[in-house]
Amino acid sequence: MQELRALEDSKYAEMNHSRGDIKDMSLTVESQGIHDGDEDKLAQLGKKQVLKVRHQRLRIFADGLSKAPTAGGQYHWVAMLAPKSSRKILSYITGWLTVLGWQASVASGSYLTGTTIQGVIIMTSPTYNPKSWHGTFLTWAVVVLALSVNTLVSSVLAKIETLVLVLHIVGFIAILIPLVYLAPHSSPQQVFTVFMNAGVWPTQGLSFFVGIVGIVFAFIGTDGAIHISEEVKNAAVVVPRSMILSVLINGVLGFGMLIATVFCLGNLEKISTTPPTQYPFMAVFAQAVGSNSGGAGMVAVIIFMFVCALITSLASSSRMAWSFARDRGLPFPDYLSKVGPH
């Protein structure tokens, strides 16, 4: 990985900046509003600006600082910070883990979206006979949709992401209000003192850790902004701020929805016996509004957000793979690191 040698040479010069110098540089960037320093930072890392700056709208999140605003992210940081004797192998392993992790994220998000669509069909069509290959077909259809957005209308991807943020908050309200207002409510004692093991796991603790996997899944992709940093204006300031705000905003909204959902679960026995081809939260929505069609309408909001998340996940994963190929970490690097004029 030839480019990583530049990281090694620049590590100590980069790390020796005092905090006061960094703050002064940040203030200068903000006051000038013209030269944001991203190209200089990439040059110090042995890189040059290749991807077009499309995401200047994220400037509203500007704050903080990043030492290495590159699409590679984690493996570049390892190359900068690891001991000299092991930085090459550690950065190479980190690069592969990050690439594979993002590919898995796109695959799992696609499957989740496709099978959720299949679950809506099950809810609204009693005569439908679900097959496993139906979910697979819908998964590929969602992948094609996300790929089309990332290739055919990539020039407006930043505007789409800005719109998604607004729709995300609106969708939260659109689901929370009917759920809280129409669903039967459980008592605080039931919510906070009753523990279930519907999966019939050997212990309650094991049941807890199996169930928490789904919660952890929601935090995947927090580093998505890192991998598009070479397309973000003033990325050294914007990207850290956007990551922090994404966790704070989604953390608050997610916790609020969690509290609302556990108080509005309704008939737990009916939810726990939901068919494998349908997700339990769909039964919660259907019980809340008293009809499958109404529940399907609420699920449609979730599906829309799934698709939006998949589009941005695909954008980040493709940039991550491109960056690692640029550093000769993937097979066929010349082909995978090639960037078209558009």
Side-chain angles (χ1 to χ4, degrees):
M1 300 169 68
Q2 298 177 354
E3 285 81 355
L4 291 181
R5 294 174 184 172
L7 294 178
E8 298 172 12
D9 298 334
S10 64
K11 170 188 174 184
Y12 297 103
E14 185 74 10
M15 296 296 290
N16 285 333
H17 284 299
S18 66
R19 185 166 297 181
D21 292 336
I22 292 172
K23 184 177 180 180
D24 291 341
M25 180 183 67
S26 175
L27 292 175
T28 302
V29 166
E30 291 298 318
S31 62
Q32 291 177 347
I34 299 174
H35 180 68
D36 54 31
D38 289 340
E39 293 184 7
D40 294 340
K41 290 179 181 297
L42 287 172
Q44 292 173 355
L45 298 171
K47 311 294 180 184
K48 66 178 182 178
Q49 190 76 38
V50 177
L51 302 179
K52 294 181 179 179
V53 177
R54 304 185 189 278
H55 299 263
Q56 57 267 35
R57 284 176 176 266
L58 290 176
R59 200 175 178 86
I60 58 175
F61 297 129
D63 193 15
L65 183 67
S66 172
K67 289 289 187 182
T70 70
Q74 290 91 330
Y75 77 89
H76 277 156
W77 303 338
V78 171
M80 292 173 61
L81 301 175
K84 188 174 182 179
S85 60
S86 57
R87 66 181 56 161
K88 290 183 179 180
I89 184 62
L90 291 178
S91 62
Y92 183 70
I93 293 173
T94 303
W96 266 108
L97 290 175
T98 310
V99 168
L100 293 176
W102 270 104
Q103 298 300 319
S105 175
V106 172
S108 58
S110 303
Y111 179 78
L112 176 62
T113 306
T115 51
T116 303
I117 295 173
Q118 185 181 28
V120 171
I121 299 174
I122 296 172
M123 286 181 63
T124 56
S125 180
T127 59
Y128 170 61
N129 183 22
K131 302 292 184 180
S132 298
W133 67 268
H134 294 175
T136 303
F137 180 81
L138 290 170
T139 298
W140 279 108
V142 172
V143 171
V144 172
L145 174 60
L147 183 62
S148 299
V149 173
N150 274 274
T151 54
L152 301 180
V153 292
S154 59
S155 60
V156 295
L157 185 59
K159 296 180 180 179
I160 293 175
E161 292 173 347
T162 302
L163 178 62
V164 168
L165 174 61
V166 177
L167 295 178
H168 177 41
I169 298 175
V170 172
F172 169 79
I173 297 173
I175 292 178
L176 184 66
I177 291 177
L179 179 65
V180 173
Y181 183 75
L182 297 175
H185 294 171
S186 302
S187 66
Q189 183 179 4
Q190 289 177 302
V191 171
F192 296 109
T193 62
V194 176
F195 298 90
M196 297 185 63
N197 185 2
V200 197
W201 296 97
T203 65
Q204 192 71 42
L206 180 59
S207 175
F208 169 81
F209 284 109
V210 170
I212 204 172
V213 172
I215 307 299
V216 175
F217 180 78
F219 286 90
I220 293 178
T222 306
D223 62 326
I226 295 172
H227 305 298
I228 61 170
S229 59
E230 294 183 33
E231 300 165 78
V232 177
K233 189 174 182 180
N234 198 13
V237 175
V238 172
V239 171
R241 186 76 182 282
S242 64
M243 291 177 60
I244 294 173
L245 284 178
S246 68
V247 173
L248 291 177
I249 293 173
N250 288 286
V252 171
L253 297 182
F255 184 74
M257 185 61 71
L258 172 65
I259 296 299
T261 302
V262 294
F263 271 96
C264 303
L265 287 177
N267 190 333
L268 294 178
E269 183 177 350
K270 183 177 180 180
I271 295 172
S272 62
T273 56
T274 301
T277 50
Q278 186 178 354
Y279 292 105
F281 77 88
M282 300 180 180
V284 175
F285 289 169
Q287 284 188 86
V289 298
S291 69
N292 286 336
S293 58
M298 297 173 68
V299 176
V301 177
I302 304 294
I303 293 175
F304 176 79
M305 298 311 305
F306 281 169
V307 172
C308 294
L310 180 62
I311 291 172
T312 55
S313 293
L314 185 59
S316 295
S317 64
S318 62
R319 271 67 169 180
M320 176 60 214
W322 166 80
S323 178
F324 201 44
R326 177 182 60 180
D327 288 329
R328 322 298 291 183
L330 293 178
F332 313 108
D334 294 333
Y335 176 76
L336 294 176
S337 62
K338 185 178 180 180
V339 177
H342 303 293

